[in-house]
Amino acid sequence: MPLWFSKQFLISSIPYFEDLFQLLSDLTSKNIRPGNSCTKKVRPRSISLGSLNSGQKYVSRISLGGTDASPSPWSSSRPGTPTDKNGIKERLIDSFFHQHKVLQELCEVIVDRVIKNASHTIKLSCVQPMFTKGGTDYEEYFNTASPVSLGDYTKMLESLGDDCKVAGDKLVRHSFSKTIKGALTLLAPPDTDSHVLEIASSLATSHAIKLGEQIVLSAVSDAKSKLSEEFARKESKSKAGVPLQHSTKVEQSHQRHIDDTNAVGSKFQSLADLTMALKVVCDKGVCCEKDFLQLEEVKQKVTIHVEKYFIGCDSSLQTIQHFETQVVSCLTSFFSEPGQLNAPLRAAVEVMDILSLLNMMGYLSSSAAELESLICNITNLQTLINGPLRNDEIGKFLFVMIEGSLISHLSLEGVFLQLVRDDDSAKAVAYSLLRLQDSEGQAIMVRLRKLLL
């Protein structure tokens, strides 16, 4: 018999997944051990869900391991109790999270993941580019009438470091304020009071910003130290009459740095490439297999970059807005000339999981409303069902959009209730959609289920 769990129950049970898994395994294998009169207390512990199948929902792939990060001020694993903490502020925070345990666990997970991703992003997109651009022109330093001394170079690095701190702190504050609030709003139980959610978001953001500022300081300090050592080494060579030459190793390292910076820089080049590939398909209307192979190849790169770099990055990027606009444009082109422009539809279907993932992470602006008006329309949905896609492809397409909150399952259900009475193809698509929901444990579209099942 299948077991169903509500979203609120699953969220509140995150720390106990291992114990629940063992219990369900015993039940299904009929390996039920005799109990005793003692009650075992289940203790929460951080676990890693990273080994789960990559096809599962994004939230399920978030790593909950936070052993290498400093404990948050509300962390249950932090030593000390409210009675031995100094200050009213700390006691109020403890009291708040004592009343809202689910939010405490979510805040720890979100802050941990944001900090881990941001630590990589800050170094590659902020600190290293500024120091590389302003502090590595060694030939100019030594091959002038008055060569730069180590003392002068150190002062220059201090000035660059101050600029990096300002830029890094700005990136941290702007990114974390949006990302953490959006993630907490997405994952919090639906009945959470908005004022409570606002307080939890504020506390989590403040703690993450403090950690982010420490990361900026550490990255700036490391960069200054490495460049000072490099300067001293090159200065010694220059005084000894050895010409300054870039070794192959240095050139390769510099190239890797450029590649990494491009990967997580402000333009997110892989996503820009995917947007361009979409535009090519949309403009042509009819495309060859080569265009779609290129689209799939770029999409794979974007998927890796989104999961690795995007949490904790600037959420107001023009590149993301251009991407969502292009996806909407592809669907609009298909519905405006049904039966003639099939390629834009196939392209939109191919990349919809990327758009869904970005929306779950809180990056999209207005595309969700536009997509719902396009899809949850009886004429357009009928056009989609009678179009070039198979029934199972349409079901998966709609499921991905529901999963990413791009369209409302209630709005889509209302349209299906009108179509399935007289349209066998609509029934087949609805069955496919319901099967996917069942496989993910989603007991939604109850009215449609009653009508069909």
Side-chain angles (χ1 to χ4, degrees):
M1 184 181 77
L3 297 175
W4 301 92
F5 300 100
S6 67
K7 175 185 175 184
Q8 183 175 359
F9 175 81
L10 288 173
I11 291 174
S12 62
S13 303
I14 283 177
Y16 310 99
F17 274 170
E18 288 185 3
D19 299 280
L20 290 173
F21 176 76
Q22 185 59 51
L23 174 61
L24 292 174
S25 297
D26 291 342
L27 288 173
T28 54
S29 64
K30 298 182 180 181
N31 182 26
I32 304 177
R33 292 172 293 219
N36 52 44
S37 59
C38 300
T39 302
K40 177 185 177 183
K41 183 176 181 181
V42 180
R43 298 184 179 279
R45 54 187 174 272
S46 296
I47 60 175
S48 174
L49 303 182
S51 60
L52 291 179
N53 188 299
S54 60
Q56 295 192 21
K57 293 181 68 176
Y58 179 76
V59 173
S60 301
R61 300 200 300 275
I62 293 178
S63 171
L64 305 185
T67 56
D68 56 341
S70 61
S72 60
W74 55 80
S75 174
S76 56
S77 62
R78 183 168 65 96
T81 62
T83 58
D84 58 25
K85 291 175 185 172
N86 298 321
I88 296 177
K89 182 179 179 180
E90 287 77 8
R91 296 189 183 189
L92 288 174
I93 292 175
D94 278 325
S95 176
F96 173 81
F97 280 113
H98 180 73
Q99 298 176 54
H100 307 285
K101 287 291 185 183
V102 174
L103 293 182
Q104 174 186 338
E105 294 159 2
L106 285 176
C107 285
E108 291 177 0
V109 170
I110 293 169
V111 170
D112 175 62
R113 174 49 55 189
V114 166
I115 289 298
K116 285 181 178 178
N117 287 356
S119 62
H120 192 64
T121 303
I122 288 169
K123 294 175 184 177
L124 291 179
S125 65
C126 180
V127 176
Q128 288 185 13
M130 293 183 71
F131 276 107
T132 301
K133 182 179 179 180
T136 57
D137 196 354
Y138 299 109
E139 292 185 2
E140 181 180 339
Y141 302 152
F142 301 130
N143 298 334
T144 59
S146 55
V148 177
S149 66
L150 180 58
D152 293 334
Y153 183 71
T154 302
K155 291 179 181 179
M156 184 181 68
L157 290 182
E158 289 294 335
S159 177
L160 283 173
D162 292 339
D163 293 340
C164 281
K165 290 174 187 176
V166 173
D169 290 348
K170 182 179 179 181
L171 173 64
V172 164
R173 290 179 179 277
H174 182 71
S175 301
F176 288 6
S177 297
K178 291 187 176 182
T179 305
I180 293 176
K181 184 177 181 180
L184 191 58
T185 302
L186 172 69
L187 297 175
D191 58 345
T192 305
D193 184 86
S194 59
H195 296 294
V196 171
L197 198 61
E198 191 70 30
I199 294 172
S201 173
S202 177
L203 292 173
T205 302
S206 298
H207 177 59
I209 287 175
K210 289 181 181 178
L211 295 179
E213 290 173 346
Q214 293 173 13
I215 291 172
V216 173
L217 287 173
S218 176
V220 169
S221 178
D222 289 344
K224 289 193 297 185
S225 176
K226 291 177 181 178
L227 287 177
S228 295
E229 293 176 1
E230 181 71 7
F231 182 90
R233 187 178 66 82
K234 290 186 179 295
E235 184 182 38
S236 298
K237 285 189 173 184
S238 178
K239 289 180 179 180
V242 179
L244 296 178
Q245 294 180 347
H246 295 287
S247 66
T248 304
K249 182 178 180 181
V250 171
E251 290 177 354
Q252 291 175 348
S253 176
H254 182 62
Q255 184 60 45
R256 283 197 302 269
H257 162 65
I258 293 175
D259 293 341
D260 288 342
T261 302
N262 288 338
V264 299
S266 60
K267 294 184 179 180
F268 292 103
Q269 189 59 44
S270 62
L271 188 60
D273 292 341
L274 184 61
T275 304
M276 183 55 66
L278 274 175
K279 189 175 187 307
V280 169
V281 172
C282 189
D283 291 344
K284 286 184 178 180
V286 179
C287 292
C288 60
E289 190 67 22
K290 180 181 178 181
D291 293 320
F292 283 105
L293 288 175
Q294 181 182 1
L295 189 69
E296 291 177 6
E297 182 180 345
V298 179
K299 176 195 166 183
Q300 291 176 358
K301 294 180 181 179
V302 173
T303 303
I304 295 172
H305 290 176
V306 168
E307 294 180 0
K308 187 173 182 180
Y309 299 125
F310 273 43
I311 294 184
C313 296
D314 193 341
S315 58
S316 63
L317 297 174
Q318 289 293 323
T319 309
I320 297 178
Q321 295 175 8
H322 292 162
F323 173 68
E324 59 177 310
T325 300
Q326 191 59 56
V327 175
V328 173
S329 177
C330 285
L331 288 174
T332 303
S333 297
F334 169 74
F335 288 124
S336 63
E337 298 183 61
Q340 299 182 30
L341 298 176
N342 294 332
L345 173 64
R346 291 192 175 277
V349 170
E350 180 66 31
V351 301
M352 191 54 68
D353 55 341
I354 299 290
L355 195 69
S356 175
L357 182 54
L358 288 171
N359 193 49
M360 285 194 287
M361 296 163 69
Y363 282 105
L364 303 192
S365 54
S366 59
S367 61
E370 295 180 65
L371 287 171
E372 183 161 322
S373 66
L374 280 172
I375 301 299
C376 299
N377 172 296
I378 189 166
T379 302
N380 286 351
L381 187 58
Q382 198 162 30
T383 300
L384 179 65
I385 292 172
N386 296 328
L389 301 178
R390 301 191 310 271
N391 293 334
D392 60 323
E393 289 178 324
I394 300 173
K396 184 178 180 181
F397 173 61
L398 297 174
F399 176 76
V400 167
M401 297 181 75
I402 293 174
E403 190 180 41
S405 300
L406 293 171
I407 60 175
S408 165
H409 69 85
L410 295 175
S411 300
L412 184 64
E413 181 183 37
V415 180
F416 265 117
L417 288 173
Q418 300 178 61
L419 289 176
V420 296
R421 299 181 186 277
D422 304 312
D423 192 330
D424 291 338
S425 297
K427 287 182 182 179
V429 172
Y431 279 124
S432 175
L433 178 59
L434 294 178
R435 282 195 297 270
L436 285 170
Q437 293 172 3
D438 291 341
S439 67
E440 292 292 329
Q442 296 181 1
I444 59 177
M445 294 188 167
V446 178
R447 291 178 298 166
L448 185 61
R449 289 174 182 274
K450 287 183 178 180
L451 182 63
L452 295 178
L453 306 177

